[in-house]
Every structure is written in C-alpha cells, then in structure tokens.
Amino acid sequence: MSNSVSSSEDLAVLLSHQLFRALGDPTRVRLVELLAERCRACSVSELADCLDVDISVVSRHLALLRAAGVVRANKVGRSVFYEIQYQAVTEALRGIADLLERASEDFNVAGACVASEDCRP
C-alpha cells in the first residue's frame, strides 16, 4: 500500500464528522471559548449566563461537544461541570494537520493527486 493511500485512510479516521459538527456551530464554539477563557471547569448555568440562549439549549450543545470528545463532564451534587479535553482536541487537530501536510508533500512530489481505484468511475 502506498504512503498516500495510508495517509488518506488515516485522514478519514481523524476527520470525524462529530468533531466538525461540534465545532461547526457558533454557539458551541463560543462555549469552548468561554471554557478556555476561564481556564477551569464551569457549570451549565454559569455558561448559560454568558449566552443569550436558554439553559436547556446550552446543555444540549455541551452534550454534543462531549459526544465529540471536545469537553468532559463531571457531576458534583446536582451540578454538572464541563471542561475542555485539551489533549484530545490538540491531538486530533495536530493529527489532521500532520496528515494534510504529508498529503501536500506527496502532491508536490507527484505533481498531482492520483485517484484510488475505488473512486474512479
């Protein structure tokens, strides 16, 4: 198997639709920003106070971010606190960047991308 095919397969694994869906919404991006600005875990109600969105909507957005591995939740009493999973997000984004860089290098060496057999008409 060639290096470029392996890279594209690796890229497909890293390009999780959940991650991009989670980060593709302005409210969810703002939630990540709020958590990063505070450098600590925050409750759903604390985050909702900073947004013009109902607490139930904030909770659903955080659940989607959690499912994508962007944040983790910790229940303390009746409150749920969320924090960014910095290492997991960094590794995913770095992996995507590394694979795209390798694909770009392969493209520059070959002068073009070569379609795999399963993608040709």
Side-chain angles (χ1 to χ4, degrees):
M1 183 181 310
S2 76
N3 191 20
S4 62
V5 172
S6 175
S7 293
S8 70
E9 290 172 356
D10 292 342
L11 187 59
V13 170
L14 285 172
L15 292 175
S16 161
H17 74 280
Q18 282 187 312
L19 177 62
F20 284 95
R21 179 177 178 220
L23 297 175
D25 178 89
T27 301
R28 290 190 287 270
V29 170
R30 182 66 184 133
L31 286 167
V32 173
E33 288 174 2
L34 289 168
L35 289 167
E37 288 170 0
R38 285 163 175 69
C39 297
R40 62 179 171 79
C42 297
S43 69
V44 177
S45 60
E46 181 181 357
L47 293 166
D49 288 344
C50 298
L51 299 169
D52 191 23
V53 180
D54 188 65
I55 193 168
S56 64
V57 175
V58 171
S59 185
R60 284 195 301 269
H61 281 301
L62 288 166
L64 203 147
L65 287 166
R66 183 177 178 206
V70 176
V71 299
R72 78 175 124 246
N74 183 27
K75 188 168 185 167
V76 179
R78 295 180 62 178
S79 296
V80 179
F81 290 83
Y82 288 86
E83 63 184 321
I84 298 172
Q85 295 198 98
Y86 288 103
Q87 185 172 351
V89 174
T90 300
E91 287 174 5
L93 295 175
R94 185 171 288 125
I96 292 168
D98 290 347
L99 285 169
L100 288 172
E101 188 173 298
R102 278 197 308 235
S104 174
E105 289 168 0
D106 290 348
F107 176 82
N108 290 334
V109 168
C113 287
V114 178
S116 63
E117 290 298 321
D118 57 338
C119 295
R120 291 189 180 152

